[in-house]
Amino acid sequence: MDREEVDRALARLGAEHEAVETCLLSLQDHAGRGLLAGAALTGVTKERWARAEEAVSLLWTGFEAYTAALEAARELRGRSRRPTPEDLAELTGRLRGPAVAVPAEDGSAERIGLAELVDRMNAWYALALDVVAAAESVWSALPARIDMLSAELQRVRSLAHSVGVRPGEHPAGDELERTTEELTSLRAEVVADPLAFWIPAGGSSAPGGGRPDTERYDRAARALDDIRREIEAVLQVRQDAEQRLMRVRDVLSRADRTLAEARTARGEVLAKIAAVDVPAVSGPPTALYEQVATAAEHRRHARWHRLSPLLESLEERADEELERARASLAAVTEPLAVRAELRGRLDAYRAGLVRQGLAGDPLLAERYDIARRLLWSAPCDLRAAEQAVRRYREAALEAAAPDGGPAPDGGAAGEGSAR
């Protein structure tokens, strides 16, 4: 190397010395390093921090050797403004040759050049910074979020306790207990082994590249949201339980009245209609009334977590009971509806004949009397009455046909069964 090359090399190595020193001081003051040095570590973090501490130790050792070698070269260069060939040869050896002794992996010493030493220090620094930065990122992100979620969990727990949602008594209480245990365990694991919750950035060689793994935290947060919604539903039950119970009682009362009406109607049908199958009418829903009483007891003793599912079931079953009662009434009164329809049709046919002046026809009068007697007698034979009404209509159509007048029922083209 000539004099200019030596001076350029010293300037470059001096700049690298300053850069390494800055990095060392930054690493020394890094918040993550301080936390790692004082923490009781476990798992992958404990293993990686041990290697990182070894790298930091090697980094300081290498830096001290680098500093000593650089200062010696500067001192040699500073002896004369115009170094002799012997001085230039020595400077070349110091700046380019294996002039620095550093510890080898097997514990012995090896000699390397200053450029290679810089490369090694960069590698040690990257290894240490990767561990320190990743740990600090996890500790900055997760524990604070876990603490906030734990505070919200305590609020939800207090709310759950106020409505009787407790472990062993309600699924939400059991889930609340599991979520509490999960958050407690998660925080302890994050503090002791932060690197177990670190996802490195794929394809990135920069130290500390990646992000915290929040999957378990996110799962706990979703579980707490579900618990909160469940408890809010129970709270809603507490607010409108009385109104909902009154509605259930009202619906069941209407069902009872409808069934009572059906029973009365059944007796009337059996007395007034002959040869008809009339379905039996069931009694009041005793089991449902017992459950309503149980629901009222839950409300009286503020057992909202038990009242909530029971009320939902009662509302559904009460509506079903009312529909069943209405169906029963309709089935029971069907024969009376058929008789009323036949009476109406008979009167309509006769009114049509009266308008045409044919009502006095002996055959028509006879058939009308037969049909009327059947329909207004008790018990009424519906089948015979229906046939009598049909025969009366047929006779009316025959009587009206020669005059070309309309049919006595207004010109209907045909007729189906009254049923």
Side-chain angles (χ1 to χ4, degrees):
M1 299 172 67
D2 58 25
R3 184 181 63 181
E4 287 78 10
E5 289 176 324
V6 168
D7 289 342
R8 285 196 298 271
L10 284 172
R12 185 182 68 255
L13 292 172
E16 290 178 343
H17 178 273
E18 289 180 6
V20 172
E21 183 177 28
T22 300
C23 290
L24 267 171
L25 294 176
S26 173
L27 183 61
Q28 188 72 15
D29 296 335
H30 198 290
R33 183 180 183 281
L35 292 170
L36 284 165
L41 302 174
T42 60
V44 62
T45 306
K46 182 178 181 180
E47 297 173 5
R48 290 188 61 188
W49 176 236
R51 294 197 297 270
E53 281 190 308
E54 183 180 354
V56 171
S57 177
L58 290 171
L59 183 54
W60 277 108
T61 302
F63 179 70
E64 290 169 358
Y66 186 94
T67 302
L70 181 59
E71 288 178 352
R74 283 172 173 172
E75 181 184 359
L76 178 58
R77 174 66 183 87
R79 291 176 185 173
S80 173
R81 292 180 61 190
R82 295 183 178 278
T84 64
E86 290 78 10
D87 291 338
L88 289 174
E90 185 175 351
L91 283 168
T92 300
R94 287 175 181 270
L95 298 177
R96 289 186 173 176
V100 185
V102 295
E105 292 184 0
D106 59 3
S108 62
E110 62 174 328
R111 301 188 68 83
I112 60 176
L114 289 175
E116 184 178 352
L117 179 55
V118 169
D119 291 340
R120 292 194 184 185
M121 286 192 293
N122 284 335
W124 293 329
Y125 173 75
L127 188 153
L129 182 62
D130 190 54
V131 172
V132 168
E136 198 269 338
S137 294
V138 172
W139 278 332
S140 296
L142 276 175
R145 294 171 69 181
I146 293 171
D147 290 343
M148 290 177 63
L149 192 62
S150 296
E152 174 65 10
L153 187 143
Q154 291 305 317
R155 188 191 71 81
V156 173
R157 179 189 291 277
S158 175
L159 199 61
H161 184 79
S162 71
V163 293
V165 175
R166 297 180 177 86
E169 298 182 10
H170 193 281
D174 298 332
E175 188 61 30
L176 190 61
E177 195 70 14
R178 283 193 292 270
T179 304
T180 302
E181 293 172 359
E182 168 64 6
L183 284 179
T184 302
S185 170
L186 179 60
R187 194 185 194 288
E189 291 177 34
V190 167
V191 170
D193 191 8
L195 296 186
F197 298 88
W198 182 251
I199 302 175
S204 173
S205 59
R211 62 178 178 84
D213 181 2
T214 62
E215 181 181 351
R216 285 176 60 185
Y217 167 85
D218 294 337
R219 190 162 56 242
R222 288 193 298 270
L224 185 57
D225 281 341
D226 292 340
I227 295 168
R228 186 191 300 109
R229 283 193 291 269
E230 179 69 22
I231 293 171
E232 286 172 352
V234 175
L235 272 173
Q236 188 64 39
V237 169
R238 183 173 69 178
Q239 293 172 4
D240 57 15
E242 182 177 2
Q243 182 180 355
R244 291 173 67 184
L245 270 173
M246 287 177 60
R247 180 189 175 278
V248 168
R249 291 192 181 100
D250 177 64
V251 171
L252 289 178
S253 175
R254 286 157 59 194
D256 281 351
R257 291 196 299 271
T258 304
L259 287 175
E261 186 180 349
R263 284 190 287 273
T264 302
R266 186 173 189 273
E268 182 182 352
V269 169
L270 290 174
K272 294 182 177 180
I273 307 297
V276 172
D277 244 352
V278 184
V281 180
S282 64
T286 308
L288 270 181
Y289 279 111
E290 291 175 355
Q291 289 186 337
V292 170
T294 301
E297 192 72 11
H298 287 334
R299 179 182 173 276
R300 205 161 29 248
H301 291 89
R303 294 192 290 259
W304 311 112
H305 61 293
R306 295 185 180 178
L307 180 58
S308 177
L310 181 57
L311 258 182
E312 291 180 8
S313 171
L314 281 174
E315 286 170 335
E316 183 178 348
R317 294 184 61 192
D319 289 336
E320 290 174 354
E321 182 63 24
L322 179 58
E323 288 302 315
R324 187 184 67 82
R326 287 170 174 168
S328 181
L329 176 62
V332 164
T333 56
E334 183 184 2
L336 291 177
V338 171
R339 186 186 67 174
E341 182 192 357
L342 289 172
R343 286 177 174 180
R345 286 164 57 188
L346 180 66
D347 289 342
Y349 298 156
R350 188 171 187 280
L353 290 171
V354 169
R355 285 195 302 272
Q356 298 178 65
L358 300 174
D361 182 269
L363 176 62
L364 291 174
E366 179 187 357
R367 292 194 176 182
Y368 174 78
D369 289 339
I370 293 172
R372 181 174 176 79
R373 233 182 0 258
L374 286 170
L375 284 171
W376 267 266
S377 63
C380 170
D381 186 338
L382 278 182
R383 292 186 180 86
E386 182 179 4
Q387 292 172 0
V389 170
R390 184 180 295 111
R391 284 197 298 271
Y392 179 65
R393 179 175 182 276
E394 290 169 353
L397 290 172
E398 289 176 4
D403 299 331
D409 60 350
E415 174 189 12
S417 169
R419 296 182 183 275

